[in-house]
Amino acid sequence: MPTRKRFVAGNWKMNTTLAEAKALGAAVAKGVPSDSPVAVAVCPPFPWLLPVGEAIKGSAVALGAQDVHSEKKGAFTGEVSPAMLIECGCKYVIIGHSERRHILGESDSAINQKLHTALDEGLHVILCMGETLAERDRSLQERVFQRQVYAACAGLTDEQFGRLIIAYEPVWAIGTGKVATPEQAQEAHAFVRGKLRQLYGEKIADALPIIYGGSVTPDNTAGLMNQPDVDGALVGGASLKADSFLAIVKAASA
C-alpha cells in the first residue's frame, strides 16, 4: 500500500479577532515540531492571512485560505484571486466547503472552475465533498460522492492531482457534535478512492490524500486515523483552541 503523508488543517471559518488569530497561529506553530510526520496548515479568515502568516513564519505550519474566486483577476467586487492568496503566503485553499455549497449555493460547475484556476496558479487545493443527512437517510451518499468527484475533478492533469487533497465532510456532522463512525468514514473514503481509480488510474488514486472533516476532536481522531483510507483531518471548531488542535495533530502522528 502506498504511503501517503497525513495532513491536518484547521478551518477557522468566520471566527477570531486579530489578536486571537495571531496568538492562535503562534501557539500552533510553536506546538508542531519541525520534523512532524504530519503536514499541518491553518486557514484563518481573509483579513488575518498576513498577520497569521507572520505568526507561523519559519515553522512547520503552512498557511491556507478558506475560499478563492474562479477568475484570475477582474471586476469581481469582494472576491479574492489565487495570486493574491499566494502573495499573502498561502500554500493551500479550501474549495467547495459544504457551508459554501449549501448556504451560499455554490454549484458543482462553479467548484470545478475554482479548482482549475487555483491549481493553474500553483495552489494546493483542499476539495470538500459530502452528503446531507437527507441524502444519507435515503442511501444516496454514494451517488452524491460519484457526482461530486466527476464534476469537481473533470479536466485535471496528473500534475494537478498531485496538489489535490479531498476532504470528506458529511454535512450532517459539521458543527453538530455528531461524527461519522470510523467505519462510515472508511466506507466513504474507500468508495471515493475507488471512483478515482476507475476514472484516473491506480497511481493517482493511491497517492491522493483523502481526509475527514466533521466534528473532529482529540477523542475521535485516533479511531478515524486507524482506517486505511483516512489520511488526516479538516478540523473546524476544535482548531480554534491550540491545545485541542495540537492534540489532533499528535493523534494523527501516531
Side-chain angles (χ1 to χ4, degrees):
M1 181 181 294
T3 302
R4 295 178 293 269
K5 185 168 183 176
R6 286 183 173 171
F7 176 64
V8 174
N11 178 13
W12 298 359
K13 305 189 181 184
M14 198 172 69
N15 294 298
T16 68
T17 64
L18 175 57
E20 289 168 348
K22 289 162 70 174
L24 179 56
V28 171
K30 184 178 180 181
V32 177
S34 59
D35 60 350
S36 173
V38 176
V40 179
V42 292
C43 302
F46 285 139
W48 309 153
L49 286 174
L50 282 172
V52 172
E54 280 297 311
I56 65 175
K57 191 173 182 178
S59 76
V61 180
L63 187 66
Q66 298 175 20
D67 188 40
V68 69
H69 194 56
S70 59
E71 297 292 334
K72 295 182 180 180
K73 63 178 180 179
F76 304 102
T77 300
E79 295 296 332
V80 176
S81 73
M84 292 173 183
L85 297 182
I86 290 168
E87 281 208 53
C88 286
C90 288
K91 178 177 180 179
Y92 298 97
V93 63
I94 300 169
I95 291 178
H97 193 280
S98 68
E99 290 155 2
R100 299 200 63 86
R101 290 181 189 261
H102 297 287
I103 298 173
L104 299 173
E106 286 193 0
S107 66
D108 287 332
S109 61
I111 289 163
N112 176 255
Q113 290 174 336
K114 286 186 176 188
L115 196 69
H116 273 277
T117 305
L119 291 168
D120 284 347
E121 294 290 279
L123 286 164
H124 289 64
V125 172
I126 303 164
L127 168 67
C128 298
M129 53 176 292
E131 82 282 13
T132 64
L133 183 59
E135 288 165 338
R136 177 164 279 273
D137 284 346
R138 294 167 61 199
S139 299
L140 295 175
Q141 61 268 28
E142 291 187 352
R143 190 177 298 179
V144 172
F145 304 157
Q146 180 168 305
R147 187 197 79 230
Q148 291 177 341
V149 169
Y150 284 174
C153 297
L156 296 187
T157 66
D158 288 6
E159 186 277 332
Q160 288 174 326
F161 271 110
R163 287 182 283 115
L164 180 65
I165 296 154
I166 289 179
Y168 166 59
E169 296 190 306
V171 179
W172 47 270
I174 297 172
T176 63
K178 297 179 181 178
V179 63
T181 65
E183 293 75 22
Q184 285 173 322
Q186 169 58 23
E187 183 180 18
H189 287 217
F191 180 85
V192 171
R193 199 176 304 283
K195 284 297 166 188
L196 290 167
R197 188 173 288 112
Q198 288 177 12
L199 286 167
Y200 306 109
E202 194 169 317
K203 184 178 178 182
I204 285 173
D206 287 346
L208 197 152
I210 305 177
I211 64 176
Y212 173 81
S215 299
V216 179
T217 68
D219 292 334
N220 60 35
T221 300
L224 291 163
M225 295 303 116
N226 283 336
Q227 303 304 308
D229 286 295
V230 179
D231 302 313
L234 181 58
V235 186
S239 71
L240 296 173
K241 294 184 178 179
D243 287 350
S244 60
F245 184 67
L246 290 169
I248 289 168
V249 172
K250 184 176 181 181
S253 304

